[in-house]
């Protein structure tokens, strides 16, 4: 029997009944999995609710907010130490369809990342941000839908949001966990860069789906807050490019960010310069982390 651990990072997950819906969807799955919740210091009654209503779930409170990547790394490490065959990363505001795991496992090649379709909260249409993820598979999907009137069982695609990732053990042993330089947002973008470097594919399984209860970004204020810092980090941490190429790309990005975000008053010139100096300060750590990310192994996992 395939051993699957579902890792759910929680933070005040009682909002809109998120955690109940999420855990209930795992209970209703036709493929059994063990729920592991890594809590980032919730201040509501998430912990009491989970331990009372879902006593079989593993509750790992951290006492502070570690961010998405570090918290997931704790859960992934817990799963691998207990001989997990697969790890399912699932957002607290997401819920899977009962057949989703079975359909994804049917397309499993042992090392590719698997993803279902991401629908909106009530399952009536495609999640707004997931539409962007479809751009690299969209031409083939459109051909299949409009001409052949049948979808393939899976499509090799590009970057997909980490709200629902099914990750085989071999993938995690090859690419590792999330880079700790990324706190909240950007972790999955960086992870995809590393997957590309290590020749790991992303497979979209259109017959499988999940519901993601959000409006565009889960936390729009947080998404915008560190946008420039995150974009700069993503450029310099991309191990698919040489140092020379990164400098050129970074210069273009700085010009774009300066001309785009300052007129929108998202940043002042002083704040923008501070982000640039922050990046320079991080350069030694970034160089070290780039070397780590190029190596195969369970990097960043405890």
């Amino acid at each position: 029997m395939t051993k699957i651990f579902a890792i759910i990072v929680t933070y005040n997950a009682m909002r809109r009944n998120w955690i109940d819906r999420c855990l209930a969807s795992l209970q209703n799955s036709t493929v059994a999995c063990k729920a592991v919740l890594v809590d980032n210091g919730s201040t509501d009654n998430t912990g009491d609710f989970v331990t009372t209503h879902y006593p079989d779930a593993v509750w790992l409170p951290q006492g502070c907010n570690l961010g998405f990547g570090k918290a997931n790394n704790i859960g992934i490490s817990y799963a691998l130490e207990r001989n997990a065959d697969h790890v399912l990363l699932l957002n607290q505001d997401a819920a899977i369809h009962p057949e989703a795991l079975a359909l994804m496992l049917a397309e499993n090649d042992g090392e590719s990342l698997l993803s279902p379709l991401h629908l909106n909260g009530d399952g009536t249409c495609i999640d707004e941000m997931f539409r962007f993820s479809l751009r690299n598979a969209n031409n083939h999907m459109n051909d299949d839908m409009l001409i052949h009137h049948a979808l393939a069982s899976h499509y090799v695609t590009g970057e997909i949001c980490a709200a629902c990732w099914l990750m085989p053990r071999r993938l995690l042993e090859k690419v590792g966990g999330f880079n700790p330089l990324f706190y909240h947002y950007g972790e999955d973008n960086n992870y995809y860069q590393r997957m590309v470097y290590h020749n790991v594919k992303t497979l979209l399984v259109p017959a499988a789906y999940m519901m993601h209860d959000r409006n565009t970004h889960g936390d729009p204020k947080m998404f915008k807050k560190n946008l420039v810092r995150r974009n700069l980090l993503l450029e310099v941490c991309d191990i698919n490019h040489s140092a020379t190429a990164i400098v050129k790309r970074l210069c273009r990005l700085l010009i774009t960010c300066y001309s785009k975000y300052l007129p929108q008053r998202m940043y002042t010139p002083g704040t923008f310069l501070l982000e640039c100096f922050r990046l320079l300060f991080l350069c030694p750590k970034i160089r070290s982390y780039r070397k780590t990310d190029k190596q195969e192994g369970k990097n960043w996992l405890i």
Side-chain angles (χ1 to χ4, degrees):
M1 180 181 291
T2 302
K3 199 172 185 180
I4 303 175
F5 284 74
I7 312 303
I8 306 161
V9 174
T10 56
Y11 179 74
N12 292 345
M14 296 303 295
R15 180 185 173 193
R16 294 165 65 105
N17 205 35
W18 278 342
I19 199 60
D20 188 27
R21 187 184 187 208
C22 179
L23 292 173
S25 76
L26 293 176
Q27 281 193 343
N28 293 330
S29 171
T30 58
V31 176
C33 62
K34 183 71 171 178
V36 178
L37 291 87
V38 184
D39 187 70
N40 269 337
S42 291
T43 56
D44 62 4
N45 64 328
T46 299
D48 291 338
F49 180 85
V50 170
T51 53
T52 300
H53 293 86
Y54 296 92
D56 291 335
V58 177
W59 177 251
L60 301 177
Q62 300 306 302
C64 64
N65 197 333
L66 300 176
F68 181 82
K70 286 185 178 180
N72 265 307
N73 286 350
I74 290 172
I76 293 169
S77 297
Y78 179 95
L80 293 182
E81 288 168 2
R82 285 154 182 81
N83 301 313
D85 297 308
H86 292 80
V87 168
L88 175 71
L89 300 190
L90 189 63
N91 275 20
Q92 65 177 10
D93 58 356
I96 62 169
H97 184 268
E99 299 287 341
L101 283 177
L103 290 165
M104 288 190 284
L105 287 172
E107 304 303 316
N108 178 40
D109 62 10
E111 66 174 36
S112 295
L113 185 147
L114 296 137
S115 171
L117 280 179
H118 293 206
L119 307 182
N120 64 353
D122 58 14
T124 56
C125 61
I126 299 293
D127 174 74
E128 191 64 32
M129 291 305 296
F130 190 72
R131 294 181 191 277
F132 293 100
S133 299
L134 293 175
R135 63 192 182 278
N136 290 327
N138 213 20
N139 289 336
H140 297 297
M141 290 183 70
N142 284 342
D143 289 344
D144 289 345
M145 285 188 293
L146 300 176
I147 299 173
H148 308 297
H149 305 293
L151 288 170
S153 59
H154 73 260
Y155 293 89
V156 178
T157 186
E159 181 183 333
I160 287 179
C161 164
C164 186
W165 280 1
L166 183 60
M167 310 174 81
R169 185 183 187 93
R170 173 61 186 139
L171 186 161
L172 292 163
E173 291 175 338
K174 188 174 187 178
V175 182
F178 290 100
N179 187 319
L181 280 174
F182 295 87
Y183 175 72
H184 191 46
Y185 291 113
E187 303 93 338
D188 47 0
N189 308 98
N190 173 259
Y191 200 89
Y192 176 72
Q193 292 171 348
R194 292 158 56 201
M195 284 173 51
V196 170
Y197 181 85
H198 291 289
N199 297 310
V200 176
K201 295 182 294 185
T202 301
L203 303 182
L204 170 64
V205 182
Y209 63 88
M210 54 83 86
M211 285 71 71
H212 196 179
D213 187 20
R214 63 171 182 173
N215 293 316
T216 310
H217 302 291
D219 188 341
K221 188 177 292 186
M222 178 63 75
F223 180 83
K224 292 178 180 179
K225 181 180 178 182
N226 296 319
L227 185 60
V228 170
R229 182 186 308 174
R230 187 165 62 250
N231 287 343
L232 295 176
L233 270 179
L234 284 170
E235 285 292 344
V236 299
C237 290
D238 190 346
I239 55 177
N240 297 287
H241 299 293
S242 66
T244 302
I246 284 175
V247 170
K248 292 179 181 178
R249 291 165 62 92
L250 199 55
C251 290
R252 288 197 295 268
L253 179 62
L254 286 169
I255 293 169
T256 301
C257 289
Y258 191 85
S259 60
K260 180 178 180 181
Y261 297 131
L262 288 182
Q264 296 178 11
R265 297 186 178 180
M266 288 178 63
Y267 290 90
T268 65
T271 303
F272 187 82
L273 288 173
L274 181 62
E275 295 294 353
C276 294
F277 281 119
R278 189 191 300 271
L279 187 68
L280 288 173
F281 178 77
L282 285 173
C283 276
K285 182 177 285 189
I286 290 168
R287 283 197 297 268
S288 173
Y289 283 20
R290 280 174 59 86
K291 290 179 182 178
T292 300
D293 283 343
K294 288 181 178 181
Q295 299 168 359
E296 287 194 12
K298 293 188 284 188
N299 303 318
W300 313 125
L301 298 175
I302 301 168

